[in-house]
Amino acid sequence: MSDKKKTSSSGRRMMSVRVKTAKRRKNSSTQWLKRQLNDPYVVRAQEEGYRSRAAFKLMEINEVVPFLKKKCRVVDLGAAPGGWTQVVLNYVDTNHPDSQVVALDINPMDDMAGVTVMELDFSLPEAPDKLFEVLTGPVDVVLSDMAPPAMGHKQTDHLRIIGLVEMALDFALEVLSPGGTFVAKVWQGGADHDLLKLLKQKFLKVKHIKPPSSRKDSAETFVVATGFKG
Ligand SMILES: C[S@@+](CC[C@H](N)C(=O)[O-])C[C@H]1O[C@@H](n2cnc3c(N)ncnc32)[C@H](O)[C@@H]1O
């Protein structure tokens, strides 16, 4: 470790960690490890018991546009390892009969008290029906932080990303109650033209938010649509 000091996002001073290049570790892996170890949000997530640094993105989005409430039915798509779900649980009282939290991911996710965890590929045609089966009523919030693994072909990657956002929105339009909220991760300067048009038709307010915890060098941003017209 070097003795260079930094201030973490939680206001604490932290040490900058230097990573030695191990013979068998690829340079890209070394860079990733170095970034993780020196990322104040990774440190904060560990300190505060969040499963991922992504938790702070949802916290920051909800600070700008507060939509998470005590009585709330929430579907969290692309939920693993569960940082966003933990933030949802900070607000939602899952004991309330009109509340429910469903977390879905193509990858396994550790259980969380009060949450229905589903391991399922959301791009499968049967995925929405499987979700309907577990829902106990109309949904107030649909979240999508889904990110397909990059194939390395820019156009293909972009199409897959847009495909998942469109599927998430189709689902949201079917399950949301009037006044409901849709939040989705989008890329490359925001939701594409057709998607944005549809969002503006169906919701009272549509906004793009790049939370401070989203890495500056990442093209990700979030579209937040509130006031579903029903
Ligand atoms: C950025 S991570 C989500 C992080 C999560 N929101 C958190 O706070 O911990 C993106 C997630 O999308 C999931 N994903 C990608 N494609 C998916 C699909 N077709 N169906 C369901 N989940 C998918 C990935 O498995 C991954 O866990």
Side-chain angles (χ1 to χ4, degrees):
M1 268 191 203
S2 84
D3 60 358
K4 219 170 121 196
K5 292 201 174 83
K6 281 204 238 174
T7 305
S8 80
S9 58
S10 54
R12 296 183 186 90
R13 284 164 78 76
M14 56 181 270
M15 310 289 273
S16 173
V17 180
R18 257 194 343 222
V19 178
K20 282 188 187 165
T21 316
K23 267 192 191 139
R24 288 208 316 268
R25 198 189 297 132
K26 278 195 205 151
N27 196 32
S28 58
S29 310
T30 306
Q31 290 306 323
W32 179 86
L33 192 59
K34 195 173 162 193
R35 195 170 71 165
Q36 284 295 102
L37 293 171
N38 289 295
D39 182 332
Y41 289 101
V42 172
V43 175
R44 224 181 119 189
Q46 281 163 358
E47 286 173 352
E48 296 179 25
Y50 286 104
R51 293 184 183 183
S52 65
R53 75 185 293 293
F56 299 103
K57 298 180 201 172
L58 184 62
M59 267 183 235
E60 289 161 355
I61 293 169
N62 190 64
E63 270 165 29
V64 180
V65 184
F67 51 83
L68 292 170
K69 308 210 165 68
K70 217 171 158 177
K71 187 184 85 124
C72 210
R73 202 170 271 112
V74 182
V75 176
D76 183 5
L77 303 170
W84 278 32
T85 318
Q86 287 175 294
V87 173
V88 168
L89 290 179
N90 290 344
Y91 293 86
V92 178
D93 172 10
T94 52
N95 291 318
H96 193 287
D98 292 329
S99 291
Q100 187 183 14
V101 180
V102 179
L104 174 148
D105 203 284
I106 193 169
N107 285 317
M109 169 170 148
D110 287 345
D111 280 347
M112 225 179 257
V115 177
T116 305
V117 175
M118 297 175 76
E119 188 181 329
L120 183 63
D121 179 352
F122 187 70
S123 66
L124 292 174
E126 63 268 29
D129 283 343
K130 294 213 164 154
L131 270 161
F132 287 129
E133 278 169 25
V134 302
L135 287 174
T136 53
V139 173
D140 302 289
V141 179
V142 173
L143 305 171
S144 169
D145 194 22
M146 284 189 288
M151 310 284 283
H153 184 267
K154 220 174 160 188
Q155 271 175 317
T156 314
D157 286 342
H158 183 67
L159 288 173
R160 293 174 74 223
I161 289 163
I162 289 293
L164 278 179
V165 180
E166 283 175 353
M167 280 182 245
L169 178 57
D170 282 348
F171 171 73
L173 297 180
E174 280 198 63
V175 292
L176 278 180
S177 55
T181 300
F182 174 70
V183 178
K185 189 208 285 277
V186 290
W187 273 265
Q188 296 179 338
D192 83 345
H193 180 76
D194 292 345
L195 193 78
L196 205 55
K197 201 171 144 195
L198 183 59
L199 283 166
K200 285 183 175 169
Q201 271 170 16
K202 302 285 182 183
F203 293 84
L204 290 176
K205 282 190 189 161
V206 180
K207 200 176 164 82
H208 281 99
I209 298 178
K210 171 90 176 166
S213 56
S214 172
R215 292 188 170 109
K216 306 272 174 296
D217 60 358
S218 157
E220 78 171 4
T221 182
F222 295 85
V223 68
V224 182
T226 50
F228 179 54
K229 293 177 191 168

